[in-house]
Amino acid sequence: MRIVFGLGVAAMALASCSQPKELAVDGAWVRLGAVTGRPAAAYFTVHGGPTPATLISVTTDVAIKSEMHETMDEGGLSTMAQLTRVEIPAKTDVTFAPGGRHVMLFNMNSGIKPADRVTLTFAFADGTRIINNATVVAAGTPAGK
Ligand SMILES: [Cu+2]
């Protein structure tokens, strides 16, 4: 009995001290393309963990192809460049949001409708995989809906 009691105290002590923040993803959402057949885009925030990480892909079962992109303003013209890796510094939030970084989802399953949930898999260079659900919104829905 004394051993069990001792373990219980140790577990409580662990739970109460501030633990290092783990690498995590939240706030994921997917905006459908304006027309069926046009790519959708995924947005989210990656929270850096105790050590730096490198995001190498974001994929979903409901799209044939996905690419990380960055939107850039070039003399009033909005262009996109593909990103093959995105550095996530330790303890730093990296946001993918409209007008900036995003994940383009090509050939989305046409059965996916607003308010559906789709699963995104985030792959990191060290082999870490994070699975996160994203809420689907209609084309033209602003950030924060
Ligand atoms: Cu794009």
Side-chain angles (χ1 to χ4, degrees):
M1 284 311 278
R2 280 182 67 187
I3 293 166
V4 171
F5 178 73
L7 283 174
V9 170
M12 281 171 62
L14 266 179
S16 63
C17 71
S18 69
Q19 296 176 336
K21 260 185 83 181
E22 299 265 313
L23 181 66
V25 176
D26 68 10
W29 57 292
V30 168
R31 187 159 61 192
L32 296 175
V35 182
T36 303
R38 294 293 303 149
Y43 307 105
F44 46 86
T45 299
V46 184
H47 302 279
T51 54
T54 304
L55 180 64
I56 54 171
S57 78
V58 181
T59 54
T60 175
D61 284 353
V62 296
I64 300 289
K65 187 175 78 157
S66 63
E67 287 178 359
M68 296 190 287
H69 283 179
E70 176 141 46
T71 303
M72 286 166 311
D73 209 16
E74 279 176 12
L77 268 181
S78 185
T79 61
M80 292 192 295
Q82 187 176 353
L83 304 168
T84 53
R85 42 201 291 134
V86 174
E87 305 301 330
I88 313 293
K91 298 174 197 154
T92 302
D93 291 350
V94 175
T95 301
F96 283 60
R101 282 173 294 234
H102 56 278
V103 173
M104 216 112 206
L105 303 173
F106 297 93
N107 298 99
M108 278 272 286
N109 179 331
S110 58
I112 302 293
K113 302 285 183 240
D116 285 351
R117 307 271 284 167
V118 299
T119 302
L120 300 177
T121 301
F122 298 81
F124 295 86
D126 69 351
T128 300
R129 297 285 184 278
I130 294 177
I131 302 208
N132 202 262
N133 284 323
T135 304
V136 177
V137 301
T141 307
K145 359 109 206 145

